[in-house]
Structures are given as C-alpha cells and as structure tokens.
Amino acid sequence: MMRTRPLKVALLGCGVVGSEVARIMTTHADDLTARIGAPVELAGVAVRRPDRVREGIAPELITTDATALVKRGDIDVVVEVIGGIEPARTLITTAFEYGASVVSANKALLAQDGAALHAAAEEHDEDLYYEAAVAGAIPLIRPLRESLAGDKINRVMGIVNGTTNFILDKMDSTGAGYQEALDEATALGYAEADPTADVEGFDAAAKAAILAGIAFHTRVRLDDVYREGMTEVTAADFASAKEMGCTIKLLAICERAADGGSVTARVHPAMIPLSHPLASVRGAYNAVFVESDAAGQLMFYGPGAGGSPTASAVLGDLVAVCRNRLSGSTGPGESAYAALPVSPMGDVVTRYHISLDVADKPGVLAQVATVFAEHGVSIDTVRQQGKDGEASLVVVTHRASDAALTGTVEALRKLDTVRGVASIMRVEGE
C-alpha cells in the first residue's frame, strides 16, 4: 500500500549539485513516489546566500540556519552537498541525533572522519549513504559494499578525477604542455580557478581512502594515502610513454598485499599500456577497474563530476534510504572487521621508467647498471641516445619496491657521469 504522508527531506547546500537535486525531486516527483512507495517532500534548503534567485524552489523553503533545519525533528533524510569538514561534520552528526538519515557527497569529510560518522549513524540507528562522494554518477560504492560483499577484492585502480584526466588526455592527443592543457580545461569549466585539489591529487586521494576502506574492510584515512600530483608531467614523458606503447594517467590505486596481510592506497601519475581498458578513458570521464577472486576483472565507467551526474548518485541514495525508512530498516554500515595495516609507500612494488641525463662516453651504461644491481633493482630495457658529449639514458625496470628505487636514484645522483634525473614514473596495469 502506498503511504500518503510524505518523507521530508532537508537539503544542505544549493550550488551546482544541490540545485540539480532539488530540480529532479520536483520534476520527477511522481516517479520517485512510485519507486519509493511514498511521496518525498523538500522541507527546507539551507544556503549561505539567501538573496540568490533559485528557480523552482519556493522562497519559504530557503533558510540560512542549517542547524535549526536539521534539528526540526520531522526531517526524515538530510542531503548534505555543502562540502568541506565544518560545519558539514557537525550538521551530519546532529541530523543523526534528531532522527534523520543522511545522504552525503562529501569525499573530504568521509575520507577524514568516515569511521566517526559511521559510528554516529549506527548509534542512532540511521543510514549514511555516499555514492556521490566517489566518481559522480558511476555506481561504485554500492557495488563494492553490496554486490561484491561476498567476494575478495584484491585491487581497485582507477581514474577518479575528471579534471586531471582531461588535462592529461589533451597533452597526449595534441602534444600540448601542462599549462596549455590546464588553461583549456579552465576555459571549458573542467578546472576550478584554483585547481590545486585536483592537479596535486588531493581530490583523488580522498576518494582512494574511501574506496580502499570499503574494498578491504579496513579503516583507511586520507593520511594513509600516498599522494603525488601531476604538475610535473611533461610532453617528453608522453613521448617516452608512446615509445613503450603506453599513455599517462593520474591513477588512484588501492591493493591488497600478495600475502593478504596488509593494504596500500596511493595516487600518482603512471604510464599504463594502451591495451589496458583505462588507457582509453578520454576527456573528463572517470573509470575504475576492480579485480577480485570470484568476479575477476570489472570496469565501471562514466561521467565522474558535474551537477547532473552527481545529483543522479545523490537521488539514487535518497531512494534507497527512503525505502529503508519505510521498511524500518537500515542499509549496510561500516565494515572494518579486517583491520588490515596500511603499508607505507616504500613497500609498494611496481615497475619504473627512469630518464637520466648522462655524459656521452664509454662506461656510463656499465656504471648505471652496477648501481641498479647493487640496490637489487633488475633492469628490463635500456635505451640510449646522445651527441656532442651529452646523452639521455632511459631505463625501464622489472618490478621493484619504491624504497629500493629511491635508494637507486639517490646513488645515481652521486655518479659524476649522471648530470641529472630528468623524470621518474611508475608503470602500472600489466
């Protein structure tokens, strides 16, 4: 039987995403009612600038007092799309205290304080859903914590930031330099006026922490994620990648150690073979590649940001939470039973591409090879070009630990015949 009393929704934030959530709730009201089993009603919208015209939202719903809104006591679901740590954290925990479940898109908060938020939700027997926090419209959180809950996930690797993928794709396809590609991304609205969170990997690192925690049933915080931005990637790096049959992507990589005893989470640029599915992800799109014991290899692909895609994920969570509320149940909460340690970046094993500027004279290659051997790093291929007394030496290693590679590079810098280390890049996806 259809319930006639509406479920009341409080919306915190009415920017690009929030306004789209409000629009869909209004224009798709009948469909949402049919899918949920009861009507949903937008009961209030908390904003910072009440004087702005917000088409489709009744003026009497607008308030600047977000705290009073979540404390009303008759709110069923709070949708938080304001972002940041505070006041979002306090508003979410207050919502739980006053009997509301929460749908959030706040990746930074979840990466930093996800455990505390889950604990608060469990204490008050409320839901905390956050599909929109990672990869926009792409269904990813729910498949990991529900569809694959009976499987053992070994690796999650993906492109989770559309801005950086757009920039790197432009550098790859047009030969543009980093700044030129960034300027185009900014002009098209793909990059913020201050792109630091994207290009330095902070955004992707927060998403990696969330994904690793869910995939490995282990608490992984933002501080546990190794982060390296992509501002130093050059046209020369792309030229080297093409010679290897690769391209370059900023990847979020979460993986379980071979012995199953620990996990790692990292974000950095990497060369990836053109044969790998992630290599074909173009423009501002996102894609995440999941490897598990039973399901094998899966890839989730789609638009990873923007008002409509993110609102789609928010509405999906809203429907799920409302259905739970009607049935008197809650969905899956935090699963951190495995409590695996998070290993440091030095323990990570992968391949490396190292470009060296060296003197063009006999014996240089032998000296360099000796340094690699002394640090236990095996060389896969070497390519050397030179003229007029100067040369470039490109070395691709077999798999080695980050710590061993770091020691190798430090020793190489001490050689008189090595003028400098032009670039170091990891090679993933093989």
Side-chain angles (χ1 to χ4, degrees):
M1 179 181 293
M2 181 75 68
R3 191 179 96 164
T4 57
R5 183 174 68 80
L7 292 158
K8 295 189 176 182
V9 178
L11 178 61
L12 308 183
C14 197
V16 174
V17 176
S19 59
E20 188 66 7
V21 169
R23 185 193 68 78
I24 295 173
M25 285 185 64
T26 301
T27 59
H28 295 183
D30 291 344
D31 286 339
L32 291 173
T33 297
R35 293 167 192 170
I36 292 169
V40 288
E41 173 188 304
L42 190 58
V45 182
V47 300
R48 288 186 298 173
R49 302 180 182 88
D51 297 332
R52 281 188 176 179
V53 176
R54 293 174 170 86
E55 188 176 345
I57 300 177
E60 60 268 22
L61 295 179
I62 301 296
T63 179
T64 58
D65 194 342
T67 301
L69 179 59
V70 300
K71 284 184 174 181
R72 273 179 36 172
D74 64 339
I75 300 298
D76 293 287
V77 185
V78 170
V79 174
E80 182 272 309
V81 288
I82 56 178
I85 305 302
E86 288 291 357
R89 174 171 48 197
T90 299
L91 290 169
I92 288 173
T93 55
T94 301
F96 294 143
E97 293 168 7
Y98 280 78
S101 290
V102 173
V103 172
S104 176
N106 197 330
K107 55 187 170 287
L109 178 58
L110 288 158
Q112 178 172 306
D113 291 318
L117 295 178
H118 274 292
E122 183 177 359
E123 178 186 353
H124 296 284
D125 197 26
E126 300 293 348
D127 272 323
L128 173 62
Y129 275 50
Y130 43 90
E131 185 69 64
V134 180
I138 304 172
L140 186 58
I141 300 298
R142 195 171 288 115
L144 287 178
R145 73 176 184 175
E146 295 183 35
S147 304
L148 296 173
D151 206 344
K152 179 184 177 183
I153 298 174
N154 297 309
R155 198 174 203 224
V156 179
M157 180 172 74
I159 299 162
V160 295
N161 183 277
T163 300
T164 55
N165 199 58
F166 179 89
I167 292 170
L168 292 172
D169 184 34
K170 281 295 175 183
M171 293 176 69
D172 184 27
S173 60
T174 69
Y178 165 75
Q179 189 60 51
E180 183 183 351
L182 172 60
D183 290 344
E184 182 174 352
T186 304
L188 293 172
Y190 292 125
E192 301 287 344
D194 179 1
T196 303
D198 294 323
V199 300
E200 293 295 350
F202 291 101
D203 175 84
K207 295 170 181 176
I210 295 169
L211 292 174
I214 296 171
F216 306 131
H217 306 280
T218 292
R219 286 177 178 167
V220 179
R221 300 188 64 217
L222 182 58
D223 291 344
D224 296 321
V225 182
Y226 172 84
R227 177 194 55 78
E228 186 180 317
M230 42 77 72
T231 57
E232 300 300 318
V233 176
T234 65
D237 292 325
F238 274 102
S240 294
K242 286 181 179 179
E243 290 179 357
M244 291 179 58
C246 293
T247 188
I248 299 172
K249 299 291 186 182
L250 184 74
L251 298 178
I253 303 171
C254 314
E255 56 190 351
R256 189 189 301 267
D259 63 4
S262 64
V263 298
T264 59
R266 50 197 165 102
V267 169
H268 54 71
M271 294 183 181
I272 187 167
L274 295 175
S275 58
H276 194 281
L278 291 177
S280 62
V281 178
R282 312 302 296 267
Y285 276 69
N286 284 191
V288 177
F289 201 71
V290 177
E291 300 175 25
S292 68
D293 277 1
Q297 298 179 332
L298 307 169
M299 192 170 88
F300 300 83
Y301 169 84
S308 294
T310 305
S312 171
V314 170
L315 266 295
D317 278 351
L318 178 62
V319 168
V321 169
C322 287
R323 286 171 174 170
N324 291 343
R325 205 159 184 88
L326 288 178
S327 66
S329 63
T330 56
E334 182 189 33
S335 175
Y337 74 90
L340 296 171
V342 182
S343 296
M345 186 62 185
D347 292 349
V348 171
V349 175
T350 189
R351 296 178 67 205
Y352 290 86
H353 176 283
I354 306 103
S355 180
L356 305 171
D357 295 326
V358 299
D360 187 15
K361 61 182 184 180
V364 173
L365 181 55
Q367 285 184 326
V368 168
T370 297
V371 169
F372 275 88
E374 288 174 347
H375 287 81
V377 179
S378 175
I379 294 175
D380 182 17
T381 62
V382 177
R383 186 176 70 257
Q384 184 173 7
Q385 295 177 326
K387 64 178 181 178
D388 300 328
E390 298 296 330
S392 64
L393 192 65
V394 175
V395 179
V396 179
T397 74
H398 288 290
R399 292 176 63 83
S401 72
D402 187 82
L405 196 282
T406 299
T408 303
V409 172
E410 289 175 355
L412 288 171
R413 294 183 192 276
K414 295 176 182 179
L415 294 178
D416 292 338
T417 52
V418 175
R419 311 296 193 218
V421 179
S423 69
I424 304 171
M425 191 166 294
R426 296 168 183 87
V427 182
E428 302 284 351
E430 293 184 294

